[in-house]
Amino acid sequence: MSTIAIAPRQGAAGRVTAATSAVADALADTADVAWRNLLTQLRTPQALVFATVQPVIFVLLFRYAFGGAIHVPGVDYVYFLMPGVFAQSVCFGAIGTAVGLATDLRSGILVRFRTLPMSRVAVLAGRVTADLVRNLAVVVVMAGVGFAVGFRSTNGFAALVAALGLVLLFSYAITWVFVTLGLRVSDPEAAQAIGVPIMFLLVFTSSAFVPSAALPGWLQAICAHQPVNALVNAERALITGGAAAHDVLISVAWSAGILLVFAALAVRTYARMSR
């Protein structure tokens, strides 16, 4: 007489162990993809140089060429300028995410990733993690440039670190926007053509380089309700020692909202492509 083997039911402890193992595997896959992307960036130093040189040019132009014509009541312009430059650096850096992902789509590497026994989320999370590391390097360089042209954190080093933490949080969130763009466009030139105007509008309709009061009335309304302006205001409040809690909460809320919406949208888009 034949026997039927019945697998034992998996208890709660077994399910927890399986979930923990799946998360650990996804994190390991994310680290592998991030390392692959970091190596790719290191092998194309021109992109890293451009990501650094462009913000440096903005600092020098606005500090020495245009700064004399821009008056900010009660503060030296360099203290007003650098928080805007930090935000601008990570915003324009995010365009490289869309271009890089679209390039990977065109080259077929993402198709190869889909055939491997690896977490689907890791492909996107690895790209974003690598770009976060790149943005960290750019922000550190820009902080050094700022100190070289006279910028200081009047509220102490801890406040500066907190402000730069907000910048990196925003960079992580905005990068997911451009992950979604890169997946949907799947063409490097088109991704850049779409991304550049979006970032120019966000940066230059904020108070990154000029006080919002100097903008036309209709533009002030846009400036007051957009994420880059919220980030810049929070940075300045932390660095100068003003009442920062309200501005910080608004900036964190913007970053969290962008992250939740576009990370889910990017993962959904990639999952549909994988079918």
Side-chain angles (χ1 to χ4, degrees):
M1 183 175 62
S2 62
T3 59
I4 300 175
I6 301 176
R9 294 182 61 185
Q10 189 179 38
R15 289 194 295 271
V16 170
T17 301
T20 302
S21 177
V23 170
D25 290 342
L27 290 175
D29 292 340
T30 298
D32 289 339
V33 176
W35 181 244
R36 175 257 176 192
N37 285 311
L38 284 172
L39 289 178
T40 300
Q41 293 179 16
L42 289 174
R43 289 166 183 164
T44 55
Q46 299 90 342
L48 290 175
V49 170
F50 177 76
T52 305
V53 168
Q54 185 187 47
V56 171
I57 292 174
F58 269 88
V59 171
L60 297 179
L61 281 176
F62 278 89
R63 176 72 173 103
Y64 297 111
F66 305 144
I70 302 173
H71 301 286
V72 182
V75 62
D76 190 337
Y77 182 65
V78 71
Y79 293 92
F80 184 88
L81 170 67
M82 288 310 300
V85 170
F86 293 140
Q88 178 254 347
S89 300
V90 298
C91 283
F92 282 97
I95 299 171
T97 300
V99 173
L101 203 54
T103 301
D104 284 347
L105 274 172
R106 174 174 285 186
S107 69
I109 188 66
L110 293 189
V111 176
R112 175 68 183 277
F113 283 154
R114 291 200 294 266
T115 66
L116 298 176
M118 63 185 297
S119 169
R120 298 286 175 85
V121 176
V123 176
L124 305 182
R127 158 66 66 174
V128 175
T129 301
D131 290 340
L132 179 63
V133 174
R134 180 199 63 201
N135 284 332
L136 173 61
V138 171
V139 167
V140 169
V141 170
M142 295 316 303
V145 173
F147 275 88
V149 298
F151 170 71
R152 298 292 184 272
S153 176
T154 56
N155 199 30
F157 181 73
L160 176 61
V161 171
L164 297 184
L166 287 179
V167 173
L168 293 175
L169 174 62
F170 181 77
S171 78
Y172 186 77
I174 203 72
T175 298
W176 280 102
V177 177
F178 284 87
V179 167
T180 306
L181 175 63
L183 290 174
R184 288 182 173 271
V185 174
S186 68
D187 180 81
E189 291 80 9
Q192 185 167 18
I194 296 171
V196 170
I198 292 173
M199 286 297 95
F200 262 97
L201 285 173
L202 281 176
V203 171
F204 289 101
T205 60
S206 74
S207 60
F209 299 111
V210 297
S212 58
L215 301 174
W218 62 271
L219 196 54
Q220 289 183 30
I222 297 174
C223 174
H225 299 93
Q226 60 115 314
V228 174
N229 191 67
L231 171 63
V232 172
N233 286 341
E235 289 180 72
R236 290 185 181 128
L238 285 168
I239 290 171
T240 60
H246 179 260
D247 291 323
V248 169
L249 285 175
I250 293 177
S251 180
V252 170
W254 267 110
S255 295
I258 292 170
L259 177 59
L260 288 174
V261 171
F262 284 94
L265 186 58
V267 171
R268 182 181 179 185
T269 302
Y270 185 69
R272 287 182 172 181
M273 294 171 58
S274 303
R275 292 174 185 171

